Amino acid sequence: MSSIQATRLKKGNLIVLDGDLYRILDLQHVTPGNLRGFVA
Amino acid sequence: MKLRNIRNGTLQDQRLRSEDVIQRANLDEVEMQYMYSDSAGHHFMDTKSYEQISLSDEVLGELVGYLVPESVIKVEFYGTEPVGIELPQTVDLAVTDTAPAIKGATASAQLKPATLETGLVVQVPPFINVGDRVRVNTETASTRTGRRDEGQGQGAG
């Protein structure tokens, strides 16, 4: 199993969360100037 | 980000911190031929071992509209469990229903809806008639291929 940073995830990737398999349908890496960045 | 649970098809919204580390699923790809669909699911056959498997609507989602019988596609396996399919970039499908072509229609990029042989509905240029084959991009569901393919008549769209 390979690990990947959240910021490097891409649409269409398959990931494992809590033992369940999920496909990413949509994602956006948001980096607000005054806050910590996040992936939503 | 929007996530779809592969096993039960439920949708979920998730927010991650940038520094989070996520487990990626390792997938094996197997070449398989699509055979048919029935109430039990969509049936595929391994082109090497002739083993047959069936995939549910939840696994395939909207990709069902691009499956033509006998087409060879890649099925993704997580361990022994089939979790998805990989389609070619474009698929050629016949138009089964659309409004008739308008004589003297302008060259502007007007589009009309067309129903394809798989039941998929896409927007096509006005000169497309019933029986024509169109090349559909499997990612965007559009007939714009981005370049003028030989004999496709798609360039003017």
Side-chain angles (χ1 to χ4, degrees), chain A residues 16-35:
Chain A
V16 182
L17 281 181
D18 308 324
D20 264 344
L21 264 183
Y22 294 90
R23 185 178 293 279
I24 300 173
L25 302 180
D26 196 30
L27 94 166
Q28 231 174 348
H29 181 200
V30 191
T31 54
N34 58 345
L35 294 169

Side-chain angles (χ1 to χ4, degrees), chain B residues 78-155:
Chain B
Y78 180 68
T80 56
E81 185 186 2
V83 293
I85 62 172
E86 194 173 294
L87 290 164
Q89 186 80 41
T90 61
V91 173
D92 289 357
L93 295 168
V95 176
T96 55
D97 189 33
T98 189
I102 309 149
K103 262 247 166 77
T106 58
S108 64
Q110 286 177 327
L111 296 176
K112 60 178 183 175
T115 308
L116 306 180
E117 55 184 318
T118 56
L120 187 72
V121 177
V122 295
Q123 295 289 323
V124 299
F127 55 82
I128 298 290
N129 293 313
V130 172
D132 287 351
R133 296 186 75 82
V134 291
R135 184 160 290 182
V136 188
N137 186 320
T138 54
E139 275 170 28
T140 61
S142 86
T143 53
R144 297 285 299 275
T145 53
R147 66 192 157 96
R148 291 170 191 242
D149 291 302
E150 58 287 334
Q152 280 300 309
Q154 292 291 300

Side-chain angles (χ1 to χ4, degrees), chain B:
Chain B
M1 56 190 178
K2 278 207 186 75
L3 301 172
R4 195 181 69 215
N5 188 315
I6 290 291
R7 297 205 172 89
N8 55 29
T10 54
L11 294 171
Q12 190 177 321
D13 234 336
Q14 180 92 28
R15 181 173 284 203
L16 299 171
R17 289 172 298 150
S18 292
E19 59 269 29
D20 281 347
V21 173
I22 298 296
Q23 291 273 297
R24 260 188 89 173
N26 287 331
L27 299 178
D28 302 318
E29 286 181 349
V30 180
E31 242 177 36
M32 290 201 165
Q33 188 181 47
Y34 172 62
M35 296 193 300
Y36 60 93
S37 298
D38 60 19
S39 55
H42 310 279
H43 299 271
F44 295 84
M45 182 180 70
D46 192 321
T47 51
K48 290 201 183 73
S49 67
Y50 303 110
E51 214 173 296
Q52 292 183 16
I53 60 157
S54 77
L55 296 179
S56 64
D57 279 331
E58 282 83 46
V59 171
L60 294 184
E62 67 216 36
L63 301 182
V64 173
Y66 300 104
L67 286 175
V68 193
E70 294 183 15
S71 62
V72 175
I73 51 110
K74 287 201 178 110
V75 177
E76 298 166 338
F77 281 85
Y78 180 68
T80 56
E81 185 186 2
V83 293
I85 62 172
E86 194 173 294
L87 290 164
Q89 186 80 41
T90 61
V91 173
D92 289 357
L93 295 168
V95 176
T96 55
D97 189 33
T98 189
I102 309 149
K103 262 247 166 77
T106 58
S108 64
Q110 286 177 327
L111 296 176
K112 60 178 183 175
T115 308
L116 306 180
E117 55 184 318
T118 56
L120 187 72
V121 177
V122 295
Q123 295 289 323
V124 299
F127 55 82
I128 298 290
N129 293 313
V130 172
D132 287 351
R133 296 186 75 82
V134 291
R135 184 160 290 182
V136 188
N137 186 320
T138 54
E139 275 170 28
T140 61
S142 86
T143 53
R144 297 285 299 275
T145 53
R147 66 192 157 96
R148 291 170 191 242
D149 291 302
E150 58 287 334
Q152 280 300 309
Q154 292 291 300

